[in-house]
Amino acid sequence: MTWTVLFWHFFVSAQNPDRILSMNDALQIASANYMIQSKANYTRSSAESVQAAKKVALPDFVLAAQTAYGTLNGVNGLGSGLPGITTITASNNAAQNMNASFGALYNVNINMNVFSFGLQRAFVAATRGQYEQDRADLRQTKFDVETTVIGLYLNLLTAQRLRIVMQDNVERISRLRDIILARAMNGLNPGVDSSIANAELSTARMSLTDAENFEQSQSSELSKEMGVTQQFYMLDTSFVTTLPKNIPAQNDINLQLHPVLRYLDSRVINSELTAAYIQKMALPKFSFFAVGQERGSGFGSSFTSDPKDYSDNFFDGVNPVRANYLLGIGVTWNITDLTRVKSKVLSQRFISAAYKDDYNQAEIKYTDQVHFANQQISNALTKYKEVPIQLKSAEDAYNQKKALYENGLTNIVDVTQTLYFLNQAEAASNVACSAVWQALLYKTISAGDLSMFLLQF
């Protein structure tokens, strides 16, 4: 699915470079982010670990077979097994001989842990706890990537609008400069007005360059987060013209569902499950075992007294002639594990306490952020309502000063001052609506609920 989304994106871009990149498109493309895929693979790995942990309870069932060729000479004596040394056990012979034959051994071993005071269940629970932690980490990463893409999308849209404002300002000052130059050449205005007009135009062009640089940097950041090559994006301009459909109420937040808090909580749970598993490792373990054995040999039963009682035929050697079985139960308990495990459990408990502290700190942080976000939304809406008044006043002031200048009733300084205010008002007007969306995004990040933002357009 990931590659399908990317292919679709590049194909459509190639066929229609003027196609608008919607926010939903950007989020879909970002789903191929390598960080998300990495966390998804960790989650798949831990899911398989849970299945592997469940299968630990299965009994060991071992089949073994071997055949060998050699002599059979024995002598009374003492010996001690040493690592890496293999000894041959044989009956005592009156004299050394070099008669050799084949032999074979066939084994079936079964070993099953029948009771260990819940150690197996604790092991499965601990591995499942790691799986749940990895799942929570994946949800948190996906949330972080998506909110980052939304933020960069809004930033790029703002940068594009500011660049348009600066372009309009350059064109406006350029037309004004043409008027000033014509009047200066006809002696209607001082010659210094031309220099001031040229300086203002140069300043406007530099501001435009800065705006273009900012737009390019935001485009690069958005491309990087989406995992595609940098390009020019045509974005959905409704975020600078239309307010959110319904601003969420201030007290409708459930922080328990915040992806970051859920991840931090999963760390606490996983640590507690790990501590419970470690604690059970010090308890006794009861097991059942069974062995079935068959043996073949080319040496006869009277080989000790009759050295000629053997066969060097391979099939005589590997043919089983004796069989044994063994059944039993056993218990193992390493008493000193009680002291070792006690320290390990205490260590894990301290880790759990640290995770709880991290959770509490994050909960306070996001609670405060939600309150601050509500204030930000209120302030952004207030500014949005004031912007049209500011813009209308700036336009009226500029038009008035321009008309007075053209009639020789004011100077160029007054005109350039109103130009500055008009440019600032146009910039504020173009970003006022986007600022409300930015404030809503901040609340979305603080509350941990992406639908709070996505359902508003």
Side-chain angles (χ1 to χ4, degrees), residues 358-443:
D358 291 341
Y359 178 91
N360 293 333
Q361 182 180 8
E363 187 176 32
I364 293 173
K365 167 189 170 184
Y366 288 116
T367 301
D368 291 342
Q369 282 188 187
V370 168
H371 292 311
F372 182 64
N374 289 327
Q375 296 171 357
Q376 293 291 94
I377 292 175
S378 177
N379 294 339
L381 287 171
T382 300
K383 291 180 67 175
Y384 176 78
K385 294 174 183 178
E386 296 295 332
V387 157
I389 300 174
Q390 181 188 34
L391 179 61
K392 179 67 168 55
S393 298
E395 288 176 343
D396 290 346
Y398 171 71
N399 290 330
Q400 181 192 55
K401 292 299 182 181
K402 180 184 175 186
L404 290 173
Y405 179 80
E406 290 176 351
N407 289 282
L409 300 176
T410 189
N411 56 51
I412 188 62
V413 175
D414 289 340
V415 177
T416 56
Q417 188 69 23
T418 57
L419 265 175
Y420 172 78
F421 288 130
L422 177 59
N423 187 43
Q424 294 298 309
E426 287 179 340
S429 175
N430 275 272
V431 302
C433 186
S434 176
V436 177
W437 286 98
Q438 290 277 13
L440 177 60
L441 175 61
Y442 183 68
K443 183 172 182 178

Coordinates of all heavy atoms in Angstrom, one line a residue, residues 358-443:
D358 N 7.8 9.7 34.7 CA 7.8 10.3 33.3 C 6.3 10.5 32.9 O 6.0 11.5 32.2 CB 8.5 9.3 32.3 CG 10.0 9.3 32.6 OD1 10.5 10.2 33.2 OD2 10.6 8.3 32.1
Y359 N 5.5 9.5 33.2 CA 4.1 9.6 32.8 C 3.4 10.8 33.5 O 2.7 11.6 32.9 CB 3.4 8.3 33.2 CG 1.9 8.3 32.9 CD1 1.4 7.9 31.6 CD2 1.0 8.8 33.8 CE1 0.1 8.0 31.3 CE2 -0.4 8.9 33.5 CZ -0.8 8.4 32.3 OH -2.2 8.5 32.0
N360 N 3.6 10.9 34.8 CA 3.0 12.0 35.6 C 3.5 13.4 35.1 O 2.7 14.3 35.0 CB 3.4 11.8 37.1 CG 2.7 10.6 37.7 OD1 1.7 10.2 37.2 ND2 3.3 10.1 38.7
Q361 N 4.8 13.5 34.8 CA 5.3 14.7 34.3 C 4.7 15.1 32.9 O 4.3 16.2 32.7 CB 6.8 14.6 34.1 CG 7.5 15.9 33.7 CD 9.0 15.8 33.5 OE1 9.5 14.7 33.7 NE2 9.7 16.9 33.3
A362 N 4.6 14.1 32.0 CA 4.0 14.3 30.7 C 2.5 14.7 30.8 O 2.0 15.5 30.1 CB 4.1 13.1 29.8
E363 N 1.8 14.0 31.8 CA 0.4 14.3 32.0 C 0.2 15.8 32.4 O -0.7 16.5 31.9 CB -0.2 13.4 33.0 CG -1.7 13.5 33.1 CD -2.3 12.5 34.1 OE1 -1.6 12.2 35.1 OE2 -3.4 12.1 33.9
I364 N 1.0 16.3 33.3 CA 0.9 17.7 33.7 C 1.3 18.6 32.6 O 0.6 19.6 32.3 CB 1.9 17.9 34.9 CG1 1.4 17.1 36.1 CG2 2.0 19.4 35.2 CD1 2.4 17.2 37.3
K365 N 2.3 18.2 31.8 CA 2.7 19.0 30.6 C 1.5 19.2 29.6 O 1.2 20.3 29.2 CB 3.9 18.4 30.0 CG 4.2 18.9 28.6 CD 5.3 18.1 27.9 CE 5.5 18.5 26.5 NZ 6.4 17.6 25.8
Y366 N 0.9 18.1 29.3 CA -0.2 18.2 28.3 C -1.4 18.8 28.8 O -2.2 19.5 28.1 CB -0.5 16.8 27.7 CG 0.6 16.3 26.8 CD1 1.4 15.2 27.1 CD2 1.0 17.0 25.6 CE1 2.4 14.7 26.3 CE2 2.0 16.5 24.8 CZ 2.7 15.4 25.1 OH 3.7 14.9 24.3
T367 N -1.7 18.7 30.1 CA -2.8 19.4 30.7 C -2.6 20.9 30.6 O -3.5 21.6 30.2 CB -3.0 19.0 32.2 OG1 -3.2 17.6 32.3 CG2 -4.2 19.7 32.8
D368 N -1.4 21.3 30.9 CA -1.1 22.8 30.8 C -1.2 23.3 29.4 O -1.7 24.4 29.1 CB 0.3 23.1 31.4 CG 0.3 22.9 32.9 OD1 -0.8 22.9 33.6 OD2 1.4 22.7 33.5
Q369 N -0.7 22.4 28.5 CA -0.7 22.8 27.1 C -2.1 22.9 26.5 O -2.3 23.8 25.7 CB 0.1 21.8 26.2 CG 1.6 21.9 26.3 CD 2.4 21.0 25.4 OE1 3.6 20.9 25.4 NE2 1.6 20.3 24.5
V370 N -3.0 22.1 27.0 CA -4.4 22.2 26.5 C -5.0 23.5 26.9 O -5.7 24.2 26.1 CB -5.2 21.0 27.0 CG1 -6.7 21.3 26.8 CG2 -4.8 19.7 26.4
H371 N -4.8 23.9 28.2 CA -5.3 25.2 28.7 C -4.6 26.4 27.9 O -5.3 27.3 27.5 CB -4.9 25.4 30.1 CG -5.7 24.4 31.0 ND1 -7.1 24.3 30.9 CD2 -5.3 23.6 32.0 CE1 -7.5 23.4 31.8 NE2 -6.4 23.0 32.5
F372 N -3.3 26.3 27.6 CA -2.7 27.3 26.8 C -3.2 27.4 25.4 O -3.4 28.4 24.8 CB -1.2 27.1 26.9 CG -0.4 28.2 26.1 CD1 -0.4 29.5 26.6 CD2 0.3 27.8 25.0 CE1 0.3 30.4 25.9 CE2 1.1 28.8 24.3 CZ 1.1 30.1 24.8
A373 N -3.5 26.2 24.8 CA -4.0 26.1 23.5 C -5.3 26.8 23.4 O -5.6 27.4 22.3 CB -4.0 24.6 23.0
N374 N -6.2 26.6 24.4 CA -7.5 27.2 24.4 C -7.3 28.8 24.3 O -8.1 29.5 23.6 CB -8.3 26.8 25.6 CG -8.7 25.4 25.5 OD1 -9.0 24.9 24.5 ND2 -8.8 24.7 26.7
Q375 N -6.3 29.3 25.1 CA -6.1 30.7 25.0 C -5.6 31.1 23.7 O -5.9 32.2 23.2 CB -5.1 31.1 26.1 CG -5.6 30.8 27.5 CD -4.5 30.9 28.6 OE1 -3.3 31.2 28.3 NE2 -4.8 30.8 29.9
Q376 N -4.7 30.3 23.1 CA -4.2 30.6 21.7 C -5.3 30.7 20.7 O -5.3 31.6 19.8 CB -3.1 29.6 21.3 CG -1.9 29.6 22.2 CD -1.0 30.8 21.9 OE1 -1.1 31.8 22.6 NE2 -0.2 30.8 20.9
I377 N -6.2 29.8 20.8 CA -7.3 29.8 19.8 C -8.2 31.0 20.0 O -8.5 31.7 19.0 CB -8.2 28.5 20.0 CG1 -7.4 27.3 19.6 CG2 -9.5 28.6 19.2 CD1 -8.1 26.0 19.8
S378 N -8.4 31.4 21.2 CA -9.2 32.6 21.5 C -8.5 33.8 21.0 O -9.1 34.7 20.4 CB -9.5 32.7 23.0 OG -10.2 33.9 23.3
N379 N -7.2 33.9 21.2 CA -6.4 35.1 20.8 C -6.4 35.1 19.3 O -6.5 36.2 18.7 CB -5.0 35.0 21.3 CG -5.0 35.2 22.8 OD1 -5.9 35.7 23.4 ND2 -3.9 34.7 23.5
A380 N -6.2 34.0 18.6 CA -6.2 33.9 17.1 C -7.5 34.4 16.5 O -7.5 35.1 15.5 CB -5.8 32.5 16.7
L381 N -8.6 33.9 17.1 CA -9.9 34.4 16.6 C -10.1 35.9 16.8 O -10.7 36.5 15.9 CB -11.0 33.6 17.4 CG -11.2 32.1 17.0 CD1 -12.1 31.4 18.0 CD2 -11.6 32.0 15.6
T382 N -9.7 36.4 17.9 CA -9.8 37.8 18.2 C -9.0 38.6 17.1 O -9.5 39.6 16.5 CB -9.2 38.2 19.6 OG1 -10.0 37.5 20.6 CG2 -9.3 39.7 19.8
K383 N -7.8 38.2 16.8 CA -6.9 38.9 15.8 C -7.6 38.7 14.4 O -7.5 39.7 13.6 CB -5.5 38.3 15.8 CG -4.7 38.6 17.0 CD -3.3 38.0 17.0 CE -2.5 38.6 15.9 NZ -1.1 38.1 15.9
Y384 N -8.2 37.6 14.2 CA -8.8 37.3 12.9 C -10.0 38.4 12.6 O -10.2 38.9 11.5 CB -9.4 35.9 12.8 CG -10.2 35.6 11.6 CD1 -9.5 35.3 10.4 CD2 -11.5 35.6 11.6 CE1 -10.2 35.0 9.2 CE2 -12.3 35.3 10.4 CZ -11.6 35.0 9.2 OH -12.3 34.8 8.1
K385 N -10.7 38.7 13.7 CA -11.8 39.6 13.6 C -11.3 41.1 13.4 O -11.9 41.9 12.8 CB -12.7 39.6 14.9 CG -13.4 38.2 15.0 CD -14.1 38.1 16.3 CE -14.8 36.8 16.5 NZ -15.5 36.7 17.8
E386 N -10.1 41.4 14.0 CA -9.5 42.7 13.9 C -8.8 43.0 12.6 O -8.7 44.2 12.2 CB -8.6 42.9 15.1 CG -9.2 42.9 16.5 CD -10.2 44.0 16.7 OE1 -10.0 45.1 16.1 OE2 -11.2 43.8 17.5
V387 N -8.3 42.0 12.0 CA -7.5 42.2 10.8 C -8.2 42.9 9.7 O -7.6 43.8 9.0 CB -7.0 40.8 10.3 CG1 -6.6 40.8 8.8 CG2 -5.8 40.3 11.1
P388 N -9.5 42.6 9.3 CA -10.1 43.4 8.2 C -10.2 44.9 8.5 O -10.0 45.8 7.6 CB -11.5 42.8 8.2 CG -11.4 41.5 8.7 CD -10.4 41.6 9.8
I389 N -10.4 45.3 9.8 CA -10.4 46.7 10.2 C -9.0 47.3 10.0 O -8.9 48.4 9.4 CB -10.8 46.8 11.7 CG1 -12.2 46.2 11.9 CG2 -10.7 48.3 12.1 CD1 -12.6 46.2 13.4
Q390 N -8.0 46.6 10.4 CA -6.6 47.1 10.2 C -6.3 47.3 8.7 O -5.7 48.3 8.3 CB -5.6 46.2 10.8 CG -4.2 46.6 10.7 CD -3.2 45.6 11.2 OE1 -3.5 44.4 11.1 NE2 -2.1 46.0 11.8
L391 N -6.7 46.3 7.9 CA -6.4 46.3 6.4 C -7.1 47.5 5.8 O -6.6 48.2 4.9 CB -6.8 45.0 5.8 CG -6.5 44.9 4.3 CD1 -5.0 45.1 4.0 CD2 -7.0 43.5 3.8
K392 N -8.4 47.6 6.1 CA -9.2 48.7 5.5 C -8.6 50.1 5.9 O -8.4 51.0 5.0 CB -10.6 48.7 6.0 CG -11.5 49.8 5.5 CD -11.8 49.6 4.0 CE -12.9 50.5 3.5 NZ -12.8 51.9 3.8
S393 N -8.1 50.2 7.1 CA -7.5 51.5 7.5 C -6.2 51.8 6.8 O -5.9 52.9 6.3 CB -7.3 51.5 9.0 OG -8.5 51.4 9.7
A394 N -5.4 50.7 6.6 CA -4.1 50.9 5.9 C -4.3 51.2 4.5 O -3.6 52.0 3.9 CB -3.3 49.6 6.1
E395 N -5.3 50.6 3.8 CA -5.6 50.9 2.4 C -6.1 52.3 2.3 O -5.6 53.0 1.3 CB -6.6 49.9 1.9 CG -6.1 48.5 1.7 CD -7.2 47.5 1.3 OE1 -8.4 47.9 1.5 OE2 -6.9 46.4 0.8
D396 N -6.9 52.7 3.2 CA -7.4 54.1 3.1 C -6.3 55.1 3.3 O -6.2 56.1 2.6 CB -8.5 54.3 4.1 CG -9.8 53.6 3.8 OD1 -10.0 53.1 2.6 OD2 -10.7 53.4 4.7
A397 N -5.5 54.8 4.3 CA -4.4 55.8 4.5 C -3.4 55.8 3.4 O -3.0 57.0 3.0 CB -3.6 55.3 5.8
Y398 N -3.1 54.7 2.8 CA -2.2 54.7 1.6 C -2.8 55.5 0.4 O -2.1 56.3 -0.2 CB -1.9 53.3 1.2 CG -1.1 53.2 -0.1 CD1 0.2 53.6 -0.2 CD2 -1.7 52.8 -1.3 CE1 0.9 53.6 -1.4 CE2 -1.0 52.7 -2.5 CZ 0.3 53.2 -2.5 OH 1.0 53.1 -3.7
N399 N -4.0 55.2 0.1 CA -4.7 55.9 -1.0 C -4.8 57.4 -0.8 O -4.6 58.2 -1.7 CB -6.1 55.3 -1.2 CG -6.0 53.8 -1.8 OD1 -5.1 53.5 -2.5 ND2 -7.0 53.0 -1.4
Q400 N -5.0 57.7 0.5 CA -5.1 59.2 0.8 C -3.8 59.8 0.6 O -3.6 60.9 -0.1 CB -5.6 59.4 2.2 CG -5.8 60.8 2.6 CD -6.0 61.0 4.1 OE1 -5.2 60.5 4.9 NE2 -7.1 61.7 4.4
K401 N -2.7 59.2 1.2 CA -1.4 59.9 1.1 C -0.9 59.9 -0.3 O -0.2 60.8 -0.8 CB -0.4 59.1 2.0 CG -0.7 59.2 3.5 CD -0.6 60.7 4.0 CE -0.8 60.8 5.4 NZ -0.7 62.2 5.9
K402 N -1.2 58.8 -1.1 CA -0.8 58.8 -2.5 C -1.4 59.9 -3.3 O -0.8 60.6 -4.1 CB -1.1 57.4 -3.1 CG -0.7 57.3 -4.5 CD -1.2 55.9 -5.1 CE -0.9 55.8 -6.6 NZ -1.5 54.6 -7.2
A403 N -2.7 60.1 -3.1 CA -3.5 61.2 -3.8 C -2.9 62.5 -3.4 O -2.7 63.4 -4.2 CB -5.0 61.1 -3.5
L404 N -2.6 62.7 -2.1 CA -2.1 64.0 -1.6 C -0.7 64.2 -2.2 O -0.4 65.4 -2.6 CB -2.0 64.0 -0.1 CG -3.3 64.1 0.7 CD1 -3.1 63.9 2.2 CD2 -4.0 65.4 0.4
Y405 N 0.1 63.2 -2.3 CA 1.5 63.3 -2.9 C 1.4 63.7 -4.4 O 2.1 64.6 -4.8 CB 2.2 62.0 -2.7 CG 3.6 62.1 -3.3 CD1 4.7 62.7 -2.6 CD2 3.9 61.5 -4.5 CE1 5.9 62.8 -3.2 CE2 5.2 61.6 -5.1 CZ 6.2 62.2 -4.4 OH 7.4 62.3 -4.9
E406 N 0.5 63.0 -5.1 CA 0.3 63.3 -6.5 C -0.1 64.8 -6.7 O 0.1 65.3 -7.8 CB -0.6 62.3 -7.1 CG -0.1 60.9 -7.2 CD -1.1 59.9 -7.7 OE1 -2.3 60.3 -7.9 OE2 -0.7 58.8 -8.0
N407 N -0.7 65.4 -5.7 CA -1.2 66.7 -5.8 C -0.2 67.7 -5.1 O -0.6 68.9 -4.9 CB -2.6 66.9 -5.3 CG -3.7 66.3 -6.2 OD1 -4.0 66.8 -7.2 ND2 -4.1 65.1 -5.8
G408 N 0.9 67.2 -4.7 CA 1.9 68.1 -4.1 C 1.6 68.5 -2.7 O 2.1 69.5 -2.2
L409 N 0.7 67.8 -2.0 CA 0.2 68.2 -0.7 C 0.9 67.5 0.5 O 0.6 67.7 1.6 CB -1.3 68.1 -0.6 CG -2.1 68.9 -1.6 CD1 -3.6 68.6 -1.5 CD2 -1.8 70.4 -1.4
T410 N 1.7 66.5 0.2 CA 2.5 65.8 1.2 C 3.8 65.3 0.6 O 4.0 65.5 -0.6 CB 1.7 64.6 1.8 OG1 2.3 64.1 2.9 CG2 1.6 63.5 0.8
N411 N 4.7 64.8 1.5 CA 6.0 64.4 1.0 C 6.1 62.9 0.9 O 5.2 62.1 1.3 CB 7.1 64.9 1.9 CG 6.8 64.5 3.4 OD1 6.6 63.3 3.7 ND2 6.9 65.4 4.3
I412 N 7.2 62.4 0.3 CA 7.4 61.0 0.0 C 7.5 60.2 1.3 O 7.1 59.0 1.3 CB 8.6 60.8 -0.9 CG1 8.8 59.4 -1.3 CG2 9.9 61.2 -0.1 CD1 7.6 58.9 -2.2
V413 N 8.0 60.8 2.4 CA 8.1 60.0 3.6 C 6.8 59.6 4.2 O 6.7 58.4 4.6 CB 8.9 60.9 4.7 CG1 8.9 60.2 6.0 CG2 10.3 61.2 4.2
D414 N 5.8 60.4 4.1 CA 4.4 60.1 4.5 C 3.9 58.9 3.7 O 3.2 58.0 4.2 CB 3.5 61.2 4.5 CG 3.8 62.3 5.5 OD1 4.5 61.9 6.5 OD2 3.4 63.5 5.3
V415 N 4.2 59.0 2.4 CA 3.7 57.9 1.5 C 4.3 56.6 1.9 O 3.7 55.5 2.0 CB 3.9 58.3 0.0 CG1 3.5 57.1 -0.9 CG2 3.2 59.5 -0.3
T416 N 5.7 56.6 2.0 CA 6.4 55.3 2.3 C 6.0 54.7 3.6 O 6.0 53.5 3.8 CB 7.9 55.5 2.2 OG1 8.3 56.6 3.1 CG2 8.3 55.9 0.8
Q417 N 5.6 55.6 4.6 CA 5.2 55.2 5.9 C 3.9 54.4 5.8 O 3.7 53.3 6.4 CB 5.0 56.4 6.8 CG 4.7 56.0 8.3 CD 6.0 55.3 9.0 OE1 7.1 55.5 8.5 NE2 5.7 54.5 10.0
T418 N 2.9 54.9 5.0 CA 1.7 54.2 4.8 C 1.9 52.9 4.0 O 1.1 51.9 4.2 CB 0.7 55.1 4.1 OG1 1.2 55.5 2.8 CG2 0.3 56.3 4.9
L419 N 2.9 52.9 3.1 CA 3.2 51.7 2.3 C 3.6 50.6 3.3 O 3.2 49.4 3.1 CB 4.3 52.0 1.4 CG 4.0 52.3 -0.1 CD1 5.3 52.7 -0.9 CD2 3.3 51.2 -0.7
Y420 N 4.4 51.0 4.3 CA 4.9 50.0 5.3 C 3.7 49.4 6.0 O 3.6 48.2 6.2 CB 5.9 50.6 6.2 CG 6.3 49.7 7.4 CD1 7.2 48.7 7.2 CD2 5.7 49.9 8.6 CE1 7.6 47.9 8.3 CE2 6.1 49.1 9.7 CZ 7.0 48.1 9.5 OH 7.3 47.3 10.6
F421 N 2.8 50.3 6.5 CA 1.7 49.8 7.3 C 0.7 48.9 6.4 O 0.2 47.9 6.9 CB 0.9 51.0 7.9 CG 1.6 51.6 9.0 CD1 1.8 53.0 9.0 CD2 2.1 50.9 10.0 CE1 2.5 53.7 10.0 CE2 2.8 51.5 11.1 CZ 3.0 52.9 11.1
L422 N 0.6 49.3 5.1 CA -0.3 48.5 4.2 C 0.3 47.1 4.0 O -0.4 46.1 4.0 CB -0.4 49.3 2.9 CG -1.3 48.5 1.8 CD1 -2.7 48.2 2.3 CD2 -1.3 49.4 0.5
N423 N 1.6 47.1 3.8 CA 2.3 45.8 3.6 C 2.1 44.9 4.8 O 1.8 43.7 4.7 CB 3.8 46.0 3.3 CG 4.5 44.7 2.9 OD1 3.9 43.9 2.1 ND2 5.7 44.5 3.4
Q424 N 2.3 45.5 6.0 CA 2.1 44.7 7.2 C 0.7 44.2 7.4 O 0.4 43.1 7.8 CB 2.5 45.6 8.5 CG 4.0 45.9 8.5 CD 4.9 44.7 8.6 OE1 4.7 43.8 9.5 NE2 5.9 44.6 7.8
A425 N -0.3 45.1 7.1 CA -1.7 44.7 7.2 C -2.1 43.6 6.2 O -2.8 42.7 6.6 CB -2.6 45.9 7.0
E426 N -1.5 43.7 5.0 CA -1.8 42.6 4.0 C -1.2 41.3 4.5 O -1.8 40.2 4.3 CB -1.3 43.0 2.7 CG -2.1 44.1 2.0 CD -1.5 44.5 0.6 OE1 -0.3 44.2 0.4 OE2 -2.2 45.0 -0.2
A427 N 0.0 41.3 5.1 CA 0.6 40.1 5.6 C -0.2 39.5 6.7 O -0.5 38.3 6.7 CB 2.0 40.4 6.0
A428 N -0.6 40.4 7.6 CA -1.5 39.9 8.8 C -2.8 39.3 8.3 O -3.3 38.3 8.8 CB -1.7 41.0 9.7
S429 N -3.4 40.0 7.2 CA -4.6 39.5 6.7 C -4.5 38.1 6.1 O -5.4 37.3 6.2 CB -5.1 40.5 5.7 OG -6.3 40.0 5.0
N430 N -3.4 37.8 5.4 CA -3.2 36.6 4.8 C -2.9 35.4 5.7 O -3.0 34.2 5.3 CB -2.1 36.7 3.7 CG -2.6 37.2 2.4 OD1 -3.0 36.5 1.5 ND2 -2.5 38.6 2.3
V431 N -2.4 35.7 6.9 CA -2.0 34.6 7.8 C -3.0 34.5 9.0 O -2.9 33.6 9.8 CB -0.6 34.8 8.4 CG1 0.4 34.9 7.2 CG2 -0.5 36.1 9.2
A432 N -4.0 35.4 9.1 CA -4.8 35.5 10.3 C -5.7 34.2 10.4 O -5.8 33.6 11.5 CB -5.8 36.7 10.2
C433 N -6.2 33.7 9.3 CA -7.0 32.5 9.3 C -6.2 31.3 9.5 O -6.5 30.4 10.3 CB -7.8 32.4 8.0 SG -8.9 31.0 7.9
S434 N -5.0 31.3 8.9 CA -4.1 30.2 9.1 C -3.6 30.1 10.5 O -3.4 29.0 11.1 CB -2.8 30.4 8.2 OG -1.9 29.4 8.4
A435 N -3.5 31.2 11.2 CA -3.1 31.2 12.6 C -4.1 30.5 13.5 O -3.8 29.9 14.5 CB -2.9 32.7 13.1
V436 N -5.4 30.6 13.1 CA -6.4 29.9 13.9 C -6.3 28.4 13.7 O -6.4 27.6 14.7 CB -7.8 30.4 13.4 CG1 -8.9 29.6 14.2 CG2 -8.0 31.8 13.6
W437 N -6.0 28.0 12.5 CA -5.7 26.6 12.2 C -4.5 26.1 13.0 O -4.4 25.0 13.5 CB -5.6 26.3 10.7 CG -6.9 26.4 10.0 CD1 -7.4 27.4 9.3 CD2 -7.8 25.3 9.9 NE1 -8.6 27.1 8.7 CE2 -8.9 25.8 9.1 CE3 -7.9 24.0 10.3 CZ2 -10.0 25.0 8.7 CZ3 -9.0 23.2 10.0 CH2 -10.0 23.7 9.2
Q438 N -3.4 27.0 13.0 CA -2.2 26.6 13.7 C -2.5 26.4 15.2 O -2.0 25.5 15.9 CB -1.2 27.7 13.6 CG -0.6 27.8 12.2 CD 0.6 26.8 11.9 OE1 0.8 25.9 12.7 NE2 1.3 27.0 10.9
A439 N -3.3 27.3 15.8 CA -3.7 27.2 17.2 C -4.5 25.9 17.5 O -4.3 25.3 18.5 CB -4.5 28.4 17.6
L440 N -5.4 25.6 16.5 CA -6.2 24.4 16.6 C -5.2 23.2 16.6 O -5.4 22.2 17.3 CB -7.2 24.3 15.5 CG -8.1 23.0 15.5 CD1 -8.8 22.8 16.8 CD2 -9.0 23.0 14.3
L441 N -4.2 23.2 15.7 CA -3.3 22.1 15.6 C -2.5 22.0 16.9 O -2.3 20.8 17.4 CB -2.3 22.4 14.5 CG -1.1 21.4 14.3 CD1 -1.7 20.0 14.1 CD2 -0.2 21.8 13.2
Y442 N -2.2 23.1 17.5 CA -1.5 23.0 18.8 C -2.3 22.3 19.9 O -1.9 21.5 20.7 CB -1.1 24.4 19.3 CG -0.3 24.5 20.6 CD1 1.0 24.0 20.6 CD2 -0.9 25.0 21.7 CE1 1.7 24.0 21.8 CE2 -0.1 25.0 22.9 CZ 1.2 24.5 22.9 OH 1.9 24.5 24.1
K443 N -3.6 22.6 19.9 CA -4.5 22.0 20.8 C -4.6 20.5 20.5 O -4.7 19.6 21.4 CB -5.9 22.6 20.8 CG -6.9 22.0 21.8 CD -8.2 22.8 21.9 CE -9.1 22.1 22.9 NZ -10.3 22.9 23.1

